[in-house]
């Protein structure tokens, strides 16, 4: 949502959102809450008159297009056609897709494996992006693995992406978000961004730390320096 809001504030482009785990109302109120600088769970306290400027600045500005669908797809071609429509006819230059695993969870009933289904979908999306010249941000979940899990602040790598290696192979850049949700308030509200793949210039490693402000519901880069790749505090600047 912060990325969508940034694009709305800093560009004039159209944005498509395919969010399969929440309703359009949840997506809309989440974006409006960013403009209002209050947590999304407090939006219900605002009157329609108070909501109007936040609506016009985000979901009602005419540049945000939501795909009305919840859950998985039986056929990945249907999803690709919807995204093609967003890009070609609605002129969306960036498309947010959340998330890959849920999109194809329903295909297993027909005997298809999750890995193969994601391969087919990712290949189709990659071809579509190259053809239409749009950008796409895809959310991918992690598979279970031995060692310290990412939700406990553990560092993870490309081979932990769930379902298929094509997620890493076909992407231009992969960014991992690591946060210790069981730590104290400071640790639990800080997320380390780690670049796992960077086709543009090859620079990888910890890039920044994001802090979440419970009073506003906002994420922002904070002054705390990220950990160096060897796990020690580093005084050197990150490679970005």
């Amino acid at each position: 949502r912060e990325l969508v809001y940034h694009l709305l504030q800093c560009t004039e482009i159209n944005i498509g959102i395919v969010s399969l785990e929440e309703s359009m109302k949840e997506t809309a109120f989440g974006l409006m809450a960013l403009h209002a600088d209050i947590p999304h769970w407090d939006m219900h306290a605002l009157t329609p008159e108070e909501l109007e400027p936040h609506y016009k600045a985000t979901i009602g500005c005419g540049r945000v297009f939501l795909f009305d669908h919840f859950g998985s797809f039986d056929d990945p071609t249907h999803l690709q056609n919807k995204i093609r429509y967003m890009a070609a006819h609605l002129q969306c230059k960036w498309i947010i897709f959340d998330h890959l695993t849920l999109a194809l969870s329903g295909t297993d009933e027909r005997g298809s494996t999750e890995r193969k289904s994601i391969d087919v979908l990712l290949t189709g999306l990659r071809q579509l992006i190259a053809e239409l010249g749009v950008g796409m941000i895809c959310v991918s979940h992690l598979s279970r693995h031995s060692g310290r899990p990412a939700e406990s602040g553990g560092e993870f790598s490309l081979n932990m992406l769930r379902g298929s290696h094509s997620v890493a192979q076909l992407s231009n850049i992969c960014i991992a978000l690591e946060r210790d949700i069981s730590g104290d308030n400071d640790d639990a509200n800080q997320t380390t961004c780690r670049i796992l793949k960077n086709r543009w210039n090859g620079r990888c490693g910890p890039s920044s730390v994001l802090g979440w402000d419970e009073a506003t519901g906002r994420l922002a880069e904070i002054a705390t320096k990220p950990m160096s790749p060897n796990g020690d505090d580093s005084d050197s600047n990150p490679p970005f």
Side-chain angles (χ1 to χ4, degrees), residues 48-147:
E49 291 75 19
E50 291 172 328
L51 287 173
E52 185 174 7
H54 309 305
Y55 171 80
K56 290 182 176 180
T58 55
I59 205 71
C61 69
R63 295 193 288 121
V64 179
F65 298 91
L66 305 181
F67 180 32
D68 186 10
H69 183 89
F70 188 94
S72 63
F73 293 84
D74 291 332
D75 184 357
T77 303
H78 178 64
L79 175 59
Q80 292 175 35
N81 289 339
K82 294 297 183 180
I83 293 177
R84 174 180 291 276
Y85 179 81
M86 281 184 165
H89 296 280
L90 301 179
Q91 300 297 307
C92 294
K93 296 302 181 183
W94 277 98
I95 295 172
I96 314 299
F97 181 18
D98 183 11
H99 59 88
L100 290 171
T101 308
L102 178 60
L104 297 173
S105 60
T107 59
D108 290 342
E109 296 178 358
R110 300 188 307 168
S112 300
T113 64
E114 182 181 70
R115 185 186 302 272
K116 182 178 179 180
S117 298
I118 293 179
D119 282 344
V120 172
L121 174 62
L122 262 294
T123 301
L125 292 180
R126 180 68 190 185
Q127 292 171 340
L128 186 150
I129 289 169
E131 174 189 345
L132 299 177
V134 299
M136 183 174 293
I137 298 173
C138 297
V139 177
S140 177
H141 286 186
L142 301 176
S143 59
R144 296 187 181 276
H145 60 279
S146 60

Side-chain angles (χ1 to χ4, degrees), residues 218-240:
R218 299 296 304 275
L219 273 175
E221 191 170 15
I222 59 179
T224 303
K225 293 182 179 180
M227 298 292 287
S228 63
N230 61 11
D232 300 325
D233 287 327
S234 173
D235 291 331
S236 60
N237 291 324
F240 304 95

Side-chain angles (χ1 to χ4, degrees), residues 7-9 11-16 58 60-65 92:
L7 290 172
L8 285 175
Q9 295 298 301
T11 75
E12 297 297 327
I13 66 173
N14 292 350
I15 305 163
T58 55
C61 69
R63 295 193 288 121
V64 179
F65 298 91
C92 294

